[in-house]
Amino acid sequence: MNVVTDTIQSLRSMRKRQLAHQVINLGLIVTSALMIWKSLMVITHSESPVVVVLSGSMEPAFQRGDILFLWLGNTAFRVGEIVVFKIEGRDIPIVHRVTKVHEKHDGTVDVLTKGDNNDVDDRGLYAPDQRWLNKKHIIGRAVGCETL
């Protein structure tokens, strides 16, 4: 509580010009962070170029808290690739490995995924009546990892 009151007290003692300078600096920092994030989205072709592993389903490849760098690209998905996907109706992305690739006659590709530390594939995680993931579900492929 002392930190809050000290901060309020220091803001009150600032002159208007100093306060305006602090607000502008904060705005520049926030704007720069957003610009970097949006640039990464354009470069990686991914709506979320960086994700954090939240569960132990991919151990020993990835631990909880690992940071993954994603890239989507236009190349076909292959068995063994690690992808990050979202299921309709769920907000949290899932990091799992592609175990099967199903190419259709029209050129579209569906994939089946599974966590390395799981006993069964992910069909139980998918939406009801969904047997495969397609490109609209996949956020990106893991191309790098930072372990903390």
Side-chain angles (χ1 to χ4, degrees), residues 13-124:
S13 66
M14 280 187 189
R15 286 182 263 147
K16 289 181 182 181
R17 187 176 190 151
Q18 285 177 318
L19 184 60
H21 184 70
Q22 292 296 327
V23 169
I24 290 171
N25 279 338
L26 178 63
L28 287 172
I29 291 169
V30 170
T31 303
S32 296
L34 288 173
M35 287 173 52
I36 291 169
W37 185 259
K38 289 294 185 181
S39 298
L40 284 173
M41 288 175 65
V42 169
I43 292 168
T44 63
H45 306 285
S46 176
E47 70 182 63
S48 182
V50 178
V51 295
V52 176
V53 177
L54 298 176
S55 75
S57 66
M58 282 301 291
E59 291 179 357
F62 300 119
Q63 309 294 319
R64 286 184 186 128
D66 286 354
I67 300 171
L68 299 180
F69 302 98
L70 306 181
W71 178 75
L72 186 57
N74 291 324
T75 58
F77 295 103
R78 294 182 301 232
V79 171
E81 282 187 310
I82 296 170
V83 296
V84 178
F85 60 92
K86 272 183 148 177
I87 301 298
E88 293 173 22
R90 296 186 184 179
D91 293 332
I92 299 173
I94 300 169
V95 179
H96 281 173
R97 191 177 304 274
V98 174
T99 57
K100 290 184 183 176
V101 176
H102 181 254
E103 291 189 42
K104 297 181 180 178
H105 295 291
D106 63 359
T108 60
V109 176
D110 292 339
V111 298
L112 180 65
T113 56
K114 176 184 172 297
D116 290 354
N117 203 22
N118 295 347
D119 294 329
V120 295
D121 62 39
D122 290 342
R123 286 187 172 139

Side-chain angles (χ1 to χ4, degrees), residues 134-146:
N134 54 42
K135 191 164 183 169
K136 75 175 184 176
H137 298 108
I138 298 175
I139 297 172
R141 313 163 204 250
V143 294
C145 174
E146 180 64 36

